[in-house]
PDB file of all heavy atoms in Angstrom:
ATOM      1  N   GLY A 104     -46.060 151.418 -37.750  1.00  0.00           N
ATOM      2  CA  GLY A 104     -46.182 152.576 -38.622  1.00  0.00           C
ATOM      3  C   GLY A 104     -45.406 152.470 -39.919  1.00  0.00           C
ATOM      4  O   GLY A 104     -45.476 153.369 -40.758  1.00  0.00           O
ATOM      5  N   GLY A 105     -44.675 151.382 -40.070  1.00  0.00           N
ATOM      6  CA  GLY A 105     -43.977 151.164 -41.333  1.00  0.00           C
ATOM      7  C   GLY A 105     -42.521 151.592 -41.363  1.00  0.00           C
ATOM      8  O   GLY A 105     -41.888 151.561 -42.425  1.00  0.00           O
ATOM      9  N   ILE A 106     -41.970 151.949 -40.233  1.00  0.00           N
ATOM     10  CA  ILE A 106     -40.550 152.305 -40.190  1.00  0.00           C
ATOM     11  C   ILE A 106     -39.741 151.016 -40.126  1.00  0.00           C
ATOM     12  O   ILE A 106     -39.959 150.180 -39.253  1.00  0.00           O
ATOM     13  CB  ILE A 106     -40.241 153.188 -38.977  1.00  0.00           C
ATOM     14  CG1 ILE A 106     -41.026 154.507 -39.092  1.00  0.00           C
ATOM     15  CG2 ILE A 106     -38.746 153.463 -38.883  1.00  0.00           C
ATOM     16  CD1 ILE A 106     -40.926 155.377 -37.875  1.00  0.00           C
ATOM     17  N   SER A 107     -38.793 150.882 -41.045  1.00  0.00           N
ATOM     18  CA  SER A 107     -38.046 149.636 -41.151  1.00  0.00           C
ATOM     19  C   SER A 107     -36.598 149.828 -40.738  1.00  0.00           C
ATOM     20  O   SER A 107     -36.053 150.929 -40.782  1.00  0.00           O
ATOM     21  CB  SER A 107     -38.113 149.099 -42.580  1.00  0.00           C
ATOM     22  OG  SER A 107     -37.524 150.008 -43.477  1.00  0.00           O
ATOM     23  N   ASN A 108     -36.010 148.730 -40.347  1.00  0.00           N
ATOM     24  CA  ASN A 108     -34.593 148.728 -39.987  1.00  0.00           C
ATOM     25  C   ASN A 108     -34.020 147.383 -40.363  1.00  0.00           C
ATOM     26  O   ASN A 108     -34.657 146.342 -40.174  1.00  0.00           O
ATOM     27  CB  ASN A 108     -34.399 148.981 -38.494  1.00  0.00           C
ATOM     28  CG  ASN A 108     -32.954 149.259 -38.152  1.00  0.00           C
ATOM     29  OD1 ASN A 108     -32.233 149.863 -38.934  1.00  0.00           O
ATOM     30  ND2 ASN A 108     -32.515 148.793 -36.997  1.00  0.00           N
ATOM     31  N   VAL A 109     -32.828 147.397 -40.920  1.00  0.00           N
ATOM     32  CA  VAL A 109     -32.154 146.185 -41.361  1.00  0.00           C
ATOM     33  C   VAL A 109     -30.830 146.065 -40.618  1.00  0.00           C
ATOM     34  O   VAL A 109     -30.148 147.070 -40.370  1.00  0.00           O
ATOM     35  CB  VAL A 109     -31.923 146.215 -42.886  1.00  0.00           C
ATOM     36  CG1 VAL A 109     -31.145 144.993 -43.342  1.00  0.00           C
ATOM     37  CG2 VAL A 109     -33.257 146.297 -43.622  1.00  0.00           C
ATOM     38  N   LYS A 110     -30.470 144.864 -40.273  1.00  0.00           N
ATOM     39  CA  LYS A 110     -29.184 144.603 -39.638  1.00  0.00           C
ATOM     40  C   LYS A 110     -28.088 145.283 -40.453  1.00  0.00           C
ATOM     41  O   LYS A 110     -28.088 145.226 -41.696  1.00  0.00           O
ATOM     42  CB  LYS A 110     -28.956 143.096 -39.569  1.00  0.00           C
ATOM     43  CG  LYS A 110     -27.684 142.671 -38.887  1.00  0.00           C
ATOM     44  CD  LYS A 110     -27.602 141.140 -38.849  1.00  0.00           C
ATOM     45  CE  LYS A 110     -26.328 140.679 -38.154  1.00  0.00           C
ATOM     46  NZ  LYS A 110     -26.239 139.200 -38.086  1.00  0.00           N
ATOM     47  N   ASP A 111     -27.171 145.928 -39.763  1.00  0.00           N
ATOM     48  CA  ASP A 111     -26.157 146.749 -40.429  1.00  0.00           C
ATOM     49  C   ASP A 111     -25.427 145.999 -41.533  1.00  0.00           C
ATOM     50  O   ASP A 111     -25.192 146.539 -42.619  1.00  0.00           O
ATOM     51  CB  ASP A 111     -25.150 147.269 -39.402  1.00  0.00           C
ATOM     52  CG  ASP A 111     -25.702 148.410 -38.573  1.00  0.00           C
ATOM     53  OD1 ASP A 111     -26.756 148.964 -38.944  1.00  0.00           O
ATOM     54  OD2 ASP A 111     -25.087 148.742 -37.542  1.00  0.00           O
ATOM     55  N   SER A 112     -25.055 144.774 -41.279  1.00  0.00           N
ATOM     56  CA  SER A 112     -24.256 144.021 -42.243  1.00  0.00           C
ATOM     57  C   SER A 112     -25.057 143.634 -43.485  1.00  0.00           C
ATOM     58  O   SER A 112     -24.483 143.177 -44.477  1.00  0.00           O
ATOM     59  CB  SER A 112     -23.686 142.763 -41.594  1.00  0.00           C
ATOM     60  OG  SER A 112     -24.726 141.921 -41.134  1.00  0.00           O
ATOM     61  N   LEU A 113     -26.381 143.808 -43.430  1.00  0.00           N
ATOM     62  CA  LEU A 113     -27.229 143.426 -44.548  1.00  0.00           C
ATOM     63  C   LEU A 113     -27.828 144.637 -45.268  1.00  0.00           C
ATOM     64  O   LEU A 113     -28.517 144.481 -46.279  1.00  0.00           O
ATOM     65  CB  LEU A 113     -28.362 142.526 -44.059  1.00  0.00           C
ATOM     66  CG  LEU A 113     -27.934 141.236 -43.359  1.00  0.00           C
ATOM     67  CD1 LEU A 113     -29.145 140.482 -42.835  1.00  0.00           C
ATOM     68  CD2 LEU A 113     -27.120 140.347 -44.295  1.00  0.00           C
ATOM     69  N   LYS A 114     -27.582 145.810 -44.735  1.00  0.00           N
ATOM     70  CA  LYS A 114     -28.122 147.016 -45.361  1.00  0.00           C
ATOM     71  C   LYS A 114     -27.600 147.173 -46.784  1.00  0.00           C
ATOM     72  O   LYS A 114     -26.439 146.894 -47.061  1.00  0.00           O
ATOM     73  CB  LYS A 114     -27.757 148.240 -44.523  1.00  0.00           C
ATOM     74  CG  LYS A 114     -28.575 148.357 -43.248  1.00  0.00           C
ATOM     75  CD  LYS A 114     -28.215 149.596 -42.451  1.00  0.00           C
ATOM     76  CE  LYS A 114     -29.105 149.690 -41.212  1.00  0.00           C
ATOM     77  NZ  LYS A 114     -28.763 150.851 -40.349  1.00  0.00           N
ATOM     78  N   GLY A 115     -28.497 147.595 -47.643  1.00  0.00           N
ATOM     79  CA  GLY A 115     -28.143 147.743 -49.045  1.00  0.00           C
ATOM     80  C   GLY A 115     -28.461 146.513 -49.872  1.00  0.00           C
ATOM     81  O   GLY A 115     -28.529 146.584 -51.095  1.00  0.00           O
ATOM     82  N   ARG A 116     -28.657 145.370 -49.182  1.00  0.00           N
ATOM     83  CA  ARG A 116     -28.999 144.146 -49.908  1.00  0.00           C
ATOM     84  C   ARG A 116     -30.401 143.629 -49.544  1.00  0.00           C
ATOM     85  O   ARG A 116     -31.086 143.072 -50.389  1.00  0.00           O
ATOM     86  CB  ARG A 116     -27.992 143.043 -49.616  1.00  0.00           C
ATOM     87  CG  ARG A 116     -26.586 143.324 -50.081  1.00  0.00           C
ATOM     88  CD  ARG A 116     -25.770 142.041 -50.133  1.00  0.00           C
ATOM     89  NE  ARG A 116     -25.619 141.404 -48.817  1.00  0.00           N
ATOM     90  CZ  ARG A 116     -26.005 140.147 -48.554  1.00  0.00           C
ATOM     91  NH1 ARG A 116     -26.588 139.404 -49.486  1.00  0.00           N
ATOM     92  NH2 ARG A 116     -25.808 139.640 -47.344  1.00  0.00           N
ATOM     93  N   PHE A 117     -30.790 143.809 -48.290  1.00  0.00           N
ATOM     94  CA  PHE A 117     -32.075 143.288 -47.805  1.00  0.00           C
ATOM     95  C   PHE A 117     -33.035 144.440 -47.536  1.00  0.00           C
ATOM     96  O   PHE A 117     -32.638 145.489 -47.020  1.00  0.00           O
ATOM     97  CB  PHE A 117     -31.884 142.492 -46.524  1.00  0.00           C
ATOM     98  CG  PHE A 117     -31.261 141.139 -46.711  1.00  0.00           C
ATOM     99  CD1 PHE A 117     -30.487 140.829 -47.803  1.00  0.00           C
ATOM    100  CD2 PHE A 117     -31.452 140.152 -45.748  1.00  0.00           C
ATOM    101  CE1 PHE A 117     -29.910 139.574 -47.960  1.00  0.00           C
ATOM    102  CE2 PHE A 117     -30.891 138.894 -45.883  1.00  0.00           C
ATOM    103  CZ  PHE A 117     -30.116 138.615 -46.997  1.00  0.00           C
ATOM    104  N   THR A 118     -34.307 144.214 -47.830  1.00  0.00           N
ATOM    105  CA  THR A 118     -35.348 145.199 -47.568  1.00  0.00           C
ATOM    106  C   THR A 118     -36.563 144.495 -46.982  1.00  0.00           C
ATOM    107  O   THR A 118     -36.999 143.469 -47.520  1.00  0.00           O
ATOM    108  CB  THR A 118     -35.766 145.924 -48.856  1.00  0.00           C
ATOM    109  OG1 THR A 118     -34.619 146.524 -49.473  1.00  0.00           O
ATOM    110  CG2 THR A 118     -36.792 147.009 -48.548  1.00  0.00           C
ATOM    111  N   ILE A 119     -37.111 145.053 -45.922  1.00  0.00           N
ATOM    112  CA  ILE A 119     -38.321 144.502 -45.310  1.00  0.00           C
ATOM    113  C   ILE A 119     -39.494 145.435 -45.633  1.00  0.00           C
ATOM    114  O   ILE A 119     -39.349 146.666 -45.666  1.00  0.00           O
ATOM    115  CB  ILE A 119     -38.167 144.331 -43.785  1.00  0.00           C
ATOM    116  CG1 ILE A 119     -39.380 143.623 -43.189  1.00  0.00           C
ATOM    117  CG2 ILE A 119     -37.898 145.661 -43.093  1.00  0.00           C
ATOM    118  CD1 ILE A 119     -39.209 143.247 -41.717  1.00  0.00           C
ATOM    119  N   SER A 120     -40.648 144.840 -45.886  1.00  0.00           N
ATOM    120  CA  SER A 120     -41.857 145.616 -46.137  1.00  0.00           C
ATOM    121  C   SER A 120     -43.055 144.810 -45.659  1.00  0.00           C
ATOM    122  O   SER A 120     -42.918 143.644 -45.284  1.00  0.00           O
ATOM    123  CB  SER A 120     -41.986 145.966 -47.618  1.00  0.00           C
ATOM    124  OG  SER A 120     -42.066 144.797 -48.406  1.00  0.00           O
ATOM    125  N   LYS A 121     -44.222 145.444 -45.686  1.00  0.00           N
ATOM    126  CA  LYS A 121     -45.411 144.712 -45.262  1.00  0.00           C
ATOM    127  C   LYS A 121     -46.638 145.249 -45.970  1.00  0.00           C
ATOM    128  O   LYS A 121     -46.652 146.375 -46.476  1.00  0.00           O
ATOM    129  CB  LYS A 121     -45.594 144.787 -43.746  1.00  0.00           C
ATOM    130  CG  LYS A 121     -45.869 146.194 -43.220  1.00  0.00           C
ATOM    131  CD  LYS A 121     -46.178 146.156 -41.738  1.00  0.00           C
ATOM    132  CE  LYS A 121     -46.469 147.553 -41.205  1.00  0.00           C
ATOM    133  NZ  LYS A 121     -46.976 147.505 -39.809  1.00  0.00           N
ATOM    134  N   ASP A 122     -47.648 144.414 -46.016  1.00  0.00           N
ATOM    135  CA  ASP A 122     -48.955 144.780 -46.554  1.00  0.00           C
ATOM    136  C   ASP A 122     -49.972 144.499 -45.452  1.00  0.00           C
ATOM    137  O   ASP A 122     -50.289 143.337 -45.184  1.00  0.00           O
ATOM    138  CB  ASP A 122     -49.250 143.971 -47.821  1.00  0.00           C
ATOM    139  CG  ASP A 122     -50.548 144.398 -48.495  1.00  0.00           C
ATOM    140  OD1 ASP A 122     -51.509 144.771 -47.786  1.00  0.00           O
ATOM    141  OD2 ASP A 122     -50.608 144.325 -49.741  1.00  0.00           O
ATOM    142  N   ASN A 123     -50.453 145.545 -44.815  1.00  0.00           N
ATOM    143  CA  ASN A 123     -51.360 145.344 -43.685  1.00  0.00           C
ATOM    144  C   ASN A 123     -52.658 144.655 -44.103  1.00  0.00           C
ATOM    145  O   ASN A 123     -53.191 143.826 -43.366  1.00  0.00           O
ATOM    146  CB  ASN A 123     -51.675 146.683 -43.016  1.00  0.00           C
ATOM    147  CG  ASN A 123     -50.472 147.265 -42.295  1.00  0.00           C
ATOM    148  OD1 ASN A 123     -49.581 146.536 -41.866  1.00  0.00           O
ATOM    149  ND2 ASN A 123     -50.435 148.573 -42.158  1.00  0.00           N
ATOM    150  N   ASP A 124     -53.153 145.005 -45.270  1.00  0.00           N
ATOM    151  CA  ASP A 124     -54.414 144.414 -45.721  1.00  0.00           C
ATOM    152  C   ASP A 124     -54.288 142.911 -45.936  1.00  0.00           C
ATOM    153  O   ASP A 124     -55.227 142.157 -45.699  1.00  0.00           O
ATOM    154  CB  ASP A 124     -54.891 145.082 -47.006  1.00  0.00           C
ATOM    155  CG  ASP A 124     -55.316 146.522 -46.776  1.00  0.00           C
ATOM    156  OD1 ASP A 124     -55.673 146.872 -45.627  1.00  0.00           O
ATOM    157  OD2 ASP A 124     -55.284 147.313 -47.743  1.00  0.00           O
ATOM    158  N   LYS A 125     -53.116 142.488 -46.397  1.00  0.00           N
ATOM    159  CA  LYS A 125     -52.880 141.067 -46.641  1.00  0.00           C
ATOM    160  C   LYS A 125     -52.262 140.384 -45.431  1.00  0.00           C
ATOM    161  O   LYS A 125     -51.998 139.178 -45.479  1.00  0.00           O
ATOM    162  CB  LYS A 125     -51.978 140.884 -47.858  1.00  0.00           C
ATOM    163  CG  LYS A 125     -52.590 141.358 -49.163  1.00  0.00           C
ATOM    164  CD  LYS A 125     -51.642 141.111 -50.321  1.00  0.00           C
ATOM    165  CE  LYS A 125     -52.270 141.566 -51.638  1.00  0.00           C
ATOM    166  NZ  LYS A 125     -51.351 141.358 -52.790  1.00  0.00           N
ATOM    167  N   ARG A 126     -51.973 141.162 -44.384  1.00  0.00           N
ATOM    168  CA  ARG A 126     -51.313 140.619 -43.175  1.00  0.00           C
ATOM    169  C   ARG A 126     -50.057 139.833 -43.581  1.00  0.00           C
ATOM    170  O   ARG A 126     -49.826 138.720 -43.106  1.00  0.00           O
ATOM    171  CB  ARG A 126     -52.268 139.763 -42.365  1.00  0.00           C
ATOM    172  CG  ARG A 126     -53.478 140.507 -41.836  1.00  0.00           C
ATOM    173  CD  ARG A 126     -54.052 139.843 -40.616  1.00  0.00           C
ATOM    174  NE  ARG A 126     -54.419 138.440 -40.863  1.00  0.00           N
ATOM    175  CZ  ARG A 126     -55.576 138.048 -41.344  1.00  0.00           C
ATOM    176  NH1 ARG A 126     -56.488 138.946 -41.651  1.00  0.00           N
ATOM    177  NH2 ARG A 126     -55.826 136.776 -41.516  1.00  0.00           N
ATOM    178  N   THR A 127     -49.287 140.429 -44.428  1.00  0.00           N
ATOM    179  CA  THR A 127     -48.100 139.759 -44.981  1.00  0.00           C
ATOM    180  C   THR A 127     -46.873 140.643 -44.827  1.00  0.00           C
ATOM    181  O   THR A 127     -46.945 141.853 -45.048  1.00  0.00           O
ATOM    182  CB  THR A 127     -48.305 139.408 -46.456  1.00  0.00           C
ATOM    183  OG1 THR A 127     -49.446 138.554 -46.584  1.00  0.00           O
ATOM    184  CG2 THR A 127     -47.091 138.696 -47.023  1.00  0.00           C
ATOM    185  N   ILE A 128     -45.782 140.012 -44.456  1.00  0.00           N
ATOM    186  CA  ILE A 128     -44.482 140.673 -44.360  1.00  0.00           C
ATOM    187  C   ILE A 128     -43.602 140.107 -45.467  1.00  0.00           C
ATOM    188  O   ILE A 128     -43.653 138.905 -45.750  1.00  0.00           O
ATOM    189  CB  ILE A 128     -43.818 140.392 -43.004  1.00  0.00           C
ATOM    190  CG1 ILE A 128     -44.780 140.698 -41.857  1.00  0.00           C
ATOM    191  CG2 ILE A 128     -42.552 141.221 -42.829  1.00  0.00           C
ATOM    192  CD1 ILE A 128     -44.331 140.073 -40.569  1.00  0.00           C
ATOM    193  N   TYR A 129     -42.786 140.960 -46.041  1.00  0.00           N
ATOM    194  CA  TYR A 129     -41.911 140.538 -47.131  1.00  0.00           C
ATOM    195  C   TYR A 129     -40.448 140.820 -46.762  1.00  0.00           C
ATOM    196  O   TYR A 129     -40.143 141.744 -46.012  1.00  0.00           O
ATOM    197  CB  TYR A 129     -42.251 141.296 -48.418  1.00  0.00           C
ATOM    198  CG  TYR A 129     -43.678 141.137 -48.860  1.00  0.00           C
ATOM    199  CD1 TYR A 129     -44.631 142.121 -48.583  1.00  0.00           C
ATOM    200  CD2 TYR A 129     -44.092 140.001 -49.558  1.00  0.00           C
ATOM    201  CE1 TYR A 129     -45.945 141.985 -48.983  1.00  0.00           C
ATOM    202  CE2 TYR A 129     -45.412 139.853 -49.960  1.00  0.00           C
ATOM    203  CZ  TYR A 129     -46.336 140.847 -49.665  1.00  0.00           C
ATOM    204  OH  TYR A 129     -47.641 140.691 -50.062  1.00  0.00           O
ATOM    205  N   LEU A 130     -39.577 140.016 -47.339  1.00  0.00           N
ATOM    206  CA  LEU A 130     -38.147 140.271 -47.240  1.00  0.00           C
ATOM    207  C   LEU A 130     -37.557 140.120 -48.631  1.00  0.00           C
ATOM    208  O   LEU A 130     -37.513 139.019 -49.178  1.00  0.00           O
ATOM    209  CB  LEU A 130     -37.465 139.301 -46.263  1.00  0.00           C
ATOM    210  CG  LEU A 130     -35.983 139.570 -46.028  1.00  0.00           C
ATOM    211  CD1 LEU A 130     -35.806 140.884 -45.269  1.00  0.00           C
ATOM    212  CD2 LEU A 130     -35.336 138.421 -45.256  1.00  0.00           C
ATOM    213  N   GLN A 131     -37.139 141.237 -49.196  1.00  0.00           N
ATOM    214  CA  GLN A 131     -36.468 141.232 -50.491  1.00  0.00           C
ATOM    215  C   GLN A 131     -34.973 141.105 -50.253  1.00  0.00           C
ATOM    216  O   GLN A 131     -34.396 141.912 -49.522  1.00  0.00           O
ATOM    217  CB  GLN A 131     -36.776 142.517 -51.271  1.00  0.00           C
ATOM    218  CG  GLN A 131     -36.067 142.616 -52.599  1.00  0.00           C
ATOM    219  CD  GLN A 131     -36.553 141.583 -53.605  1.00  0.00           C
ATOM    220  OE1 GLN A 131     -37.748 141.327 -53.719  1.00  0.00           O
ATOM    221  NE2 GLN A 131     -35.626 140.976 -54.334  1.00  0.00           N
ATOM    222  N   MET A 132     -34.375 140.104 -50.869  1.00  0.00           N
ATOM    223  CA  MET A 132     -32.953 139.834 -50.673  1.00  0.00           C
ATOM    224  C   MET A 132     -32.257 139.873 -52.018  1.00  0.00           C
ATOM    225  O   MET A 132     -32.634 139.144 -52.938  1.00  0.00           O
ATOM    226  CB  MET A 132     -32.750 138.468 -50.013  1.00  0.00           C
ATOM    227  CG  MET A 132     -33.538 138.289 -48.723  1.00  0.00           C
ATOM    228  SD  MET A 132     -33.206 136.718 -47.911  1.00  0.00           S
ATOM    229  CE  MET A 132     -33.895 135.580 -49.108  1.00  0.00           C
ATOM    230  N   ASN A 133     -31.250 140.705 -52.137  1.00  0.00           N
ATOM    231  CA  ASN A 133     -30.493 140.850 -53.380  1.00  0.00           C
ATOM    232  C   ASN A 133     -29.021 140.518 -53.155  1.00  0.00           C
ATOM    233  O   ASN A 133     -28.552 140.500 -52.012  1.00  0.00           O
ATOM    234  CB  ASN A 133     -30.632 142.273 -53.909  1.00  0.00           C
ATOM    235  CG  ASN A 133     -32.070 142.656 -54.209  1.00  0.00           C
ATOM    236  OD1 ASN A 133     -32.873 141.830 -54.661  1.00  0.00           O
ATOM    237  ND2 ASN A 133     -32.404 143.909 -53.970  1.00  0.00           N
ATOM    238  N   SER A 134     -28.323 140.275 -54.221  1.00  0.00           N
ATOM    239  CA  SER A 134     -26.882 139.992 -54.169  1.00  0.00           C
ATOM    240  C   SER A 134     -26.576 138.931 -53.120  1.00  0.00           C
ATOM    241  O   SER A 134     -25.684 139.096 -52.281  1.00  0.00           O
ATOM    242  CB  SER A 134     -26.106 141.277 -53.869  1.00  0.00           C
ATOM    243  OG  SER A 134     -26.370 142.258 -54.849  1.00  0.00           O
ATOM    244  N   LEU A 135     -27.296 137.853 -53.186  1.00  0.00           N
ATOM    245  CA  LEU A 135     -27.168 136.810 -52.167  1.00  0.00           C
ATOM    246  C   LEU A 135     -25.806 136.118 -52.234  1.00  0.00           C
ATOM    247  O   LEU A 135     -25.226 135.956 -53.327  1.00  0.00           O
ATOM    248  CB  LEU A 135     -28.284 135.793 -52.317  1.00  0.00           C
ATOM    249  CG  LEU A 135     -29.661 136.305 -51.851  1.00  0.00           C
ATOM    250  CD1 LEU A 135     -30.785 135.442 -52.424  1.00  0.00           C
ATOM    251  CD2 LEU A 135     -29.735 136.331 -50.341  1.00  0.00           C
ATOM    252  N   THR A 136     -25.319 135.736 -51.078  1.00  0.00           N
ATOM    253  CA  THR A 136     -24.055 135.019 -50.957  1.00  0.00           C
ATOM    254  C   THR A 136     -24.306 133.713 -50.199  1.00  0.00           C
ATOM    255  O   THR A 136     -25.327 133.565 -49.521  1.00  0.00           O
ATOM    256  CB  THR A 136     -23.016 135.842 -50.200  1.00  0.00           C
ATOM    257  OG1 THR A 136     -23.352 135.852 -48.795  1.00  0.00           O
ATOM    258  CG2 THR A 136     -22.966 137.283 -50.697  1.00  0.00           C
ATOM    259  N   PRO A 137     -23.378 132.772 -50.272  1.00  0.00           N
ATOM    260  CA  PRO A 137     -23.550 131.518 -49.520  1.00  0.00           C
ATOM    261  C   PRO A 137     -23.741 131.756 -48.021  1.00  0.00           C
ATOM    262  O   PRO A 137     -24.381 130.926 -47.347  1.00  0.00           O
ATOM    263  CB  PRO A 137     -22.249 130.765 -49.812  1.00  0.00           C
ATOM    264  CG  PRO A 137     -21.863 131.245 -51.179  1.00  0.00           C
ATOM    265  CD  PRO A 137     -22.235 132.698 -51.193  1.00  0.00           C
ATOM    266  N   GLU A 138     -23.219 132.851 -47.506  1.00  0.00           N
ATOM    267  CA  GLU A 138     -23.375 133.154 -46.078  1.00  0.00           C
ATOM    268  C   GLU A 138     -24.819 133.506 -45.715  1.00  0.00           C
ATOM    269  O   GLU A 138     -25.160 133.568 -44.531  1.00  0.00           O
ATOM    270  CB  GLU A 138     -22.453 134.301 -45.673  1.00  0.00           C
ATOM    271  CG  GLU A 138     -20.973 133.934 -45.599  1.00  0.00           C
ATOM    272  CD  GLU A 138     -20.375 133.647 -46.972  1.00  0.00           C
ATOM    273  OE1 GLU A 138     -20.769 134.342 -47.955  1.00  0.00           O
ATOM    274  OE2 GLU A 138     -19.532 132.727 -47.084  1.00  0.00           O
ATOM    275  N   ASP A 139     -25.654 133.739 -46.703  1.00  0.00           N
ATOM    276  CA  ASP A 139     -27.072 134.011 -46.449  1.00  0.00           C
ATOM    277  C   ASP A 139     -27.887 132.722 -46.337  1.00  0.00           C
ATOM    278  O   ASP A 139     -29.093 132.773 -46.055  1.00  0.00           O
ATOM    279  CB  ASP A 139     -27.655 134.883 -47.559  1.00  0.00           C
ATOM    280  CG  ASP A 139     -27.006 136.258 -47.613  1.00  0.00           C
ATOM    281  OD1 ASP A 139     -26.814 136.866 -46.540  1.00  0.00           O
ATOM    282  OD2 ASP A 139     -26.686 136.714 -48.730  1.00  0.00           O
ATOM    283  N   THR A 140     -27.261 131.602 -46.559  1.00  0.00           N
ATOM    284  CA  THR A 140     -27.958 130.316 -46.442  1.00  0.00           C
ATOM    285  C   THR A 140     -28.418 130.103 -45.005  1.00  0.00           C
ATOM    286  O   THR A 140     -27.622 130.166 -44.061  1.00  0.00           O
ATOM    287  CB  THR A 140     -27.035 129.165 -46.859  1.00  0.00           C
ATOM    288  OG1 THR A 140     -26.741 129.307 -48.256  1.00  0.00           O
ATOM    289  CG2 THR A 140     -27.686 127.817 -46.605  1.00  0.00           C
ATOM    290  N   ALA A 141     -29.713 129.888 -44.844  1.00  0.00           N
ATOM    291  CA  ALA A 141     -30.292 129.742 -43.512  1.00  0.00           C
ATOM    292  C   ALA A 141     -31.770 129.429 -43.659  1.00  0.00           C
ATOM    293  O   ALA A 141     -32.331 129.506 -44.760  1.00  0.00           O
ATOM    294  CB  ALA A 141     -30.129 131.035 -42.707  1.00  0.00           C
ATOM    295  N   VAL A 142     -32.390 129.086 -42.547  1.00  0.00           N
ATOM    296  CA  VAL A 142     -33.842 129.028 -42.487  1.00  0.00           C
ATOM    297  C   VAL A 142     -34.313 130.400 -42.005  1.00  0.00           C
ATOM    298  O   VAL A 142     -33.811 130.912 -40.997  1.00  0.00           O
ATOM    299  CB  VAL A 142     -34.334 127.926 -41.542  1.00  0.00           C
ATOM    300  CG1 VAL A 142     -35.871 127.915 -41.509  1.00  0.00           C
ATOM    301  CG2 VAL A 142     -33.804 126.571 -41.981  1.00  0.00           C
ATOM    302  N   TYR A 143     -35.254 130.970 -42.727  1.00  0.00           N
ATOM    303  CA  TYR A 143     -35.750 132.308 -42.429  1.00  0.00           C
ATOM    304  C   TYR A 143     -37.130 132.209 -41.794  1.00  0.00           C
ATOM    305  O   TYR A 143     -37.997 131.485 -42.280  1.00  0.00           O
ATOM    306  CB  TYR A 143     -35.800 133.144 -43.708  1.00  0.00           C
ATOM    307  CG  TYR A 143     -34.434 133.582 -44.165  1.00  0.00           C
ATOM    308  CD1 TYR A 143     -33.531 132.678 -44.707  1.00  0.00           C
ATOM    309  CD2 TYR A 143     -34.034 134.916 -44.040  1.00  0.00           C
ATOM    310  CE1 TYR A 143     -32.265 133.079 -45.107  1.00  0.00           C
ATOM    311  CE2 TYR A 143     -32.775 135.332 -44.455  1.00  0.00           C
ATOM    312  CZ  TYR A 143     -31.899 134.410 -44.986  1.00  0.00           C
ATOM    313  OH  TYR A 143     -30.639 134.819 -45.388  1.00  0.00           O
ATOM    314  N   TYR A 144     -37.304 132.957 -40.721  1.00  0.00           N
ATOM    315  CA  TYR A 144     -38.546 132.959 -39.951  1.00  0.00           C
ATOM    316  C   TYR A 144     -39.052 134.391 -39.774  1.00  0.00           C
ATOM    317  O   TYR A 144     -38.275 135.337 -39.776  1.00  0.00           O
ATOM    318  CB  TYR A 144     -38.316 132.398 -38.547  1.00  0.00           C
ATOM    319  CG  TYR A 144     -37.750 131.016 -38.470  1.00  0.00           C
ATOM    320  CD1 TYR A 144     -36.370 130.802 -38.493  1.00  0.00           C
ATOM    321  CD2 TYR A 144     -38.592 129.910 -38.319  1.00  0.00           C
ATOM    322  CE1 TYR A 144     -35.844 129.524 -38.392  1.00  0.00           C
ATOM    323  CE2 TYR A 144     -38.068 128.635 -38.217  1.00  0.00           C
ATOM    324  CZ  TYR A 144     -36.697 128.453 -38.255  1.00  0.00           C
ATOM    325  OH  TYR A 144     -36.180 127.181 -38.147  1.00  0.00           O
TER     326      TYR A 144
END
């Protein structure tokens, strides 16, 4: 239904969204730090 939730430590910097028609999920990441370095799935 589109209700989103972000890990507490990432709230305010990361946002998840989706486009059902495109069957695509997005992750907007702001104010990135070296600790965000990872493989994202």
Side-chain angles (χ1 to χ4, degrees):
I106 298 173
S107 62
N108 192 34
V109 177
K110 182 178 180 179
D111 284 347
S112 60
L113 302 176
K114 285 181 178 177
R116 296 197 298 123
F117 286 23
T118 304
I119 186 172
S120 61
K121 65 174 181 171
D122 185 325
N123 291 334
D124 292 336
K125 295 181 179 179
R126 298 204 303 273
T127 301
I128 309 163
Y129 303 99
L130 184 68
Q131 177 67 42
M132 307 184 294
N133 300 324
S134 302
L135 286 162
T136 74
E138 287 69 37
D139 296 316
T140 295
V142 180
Y143 286 72
Y144 303 87

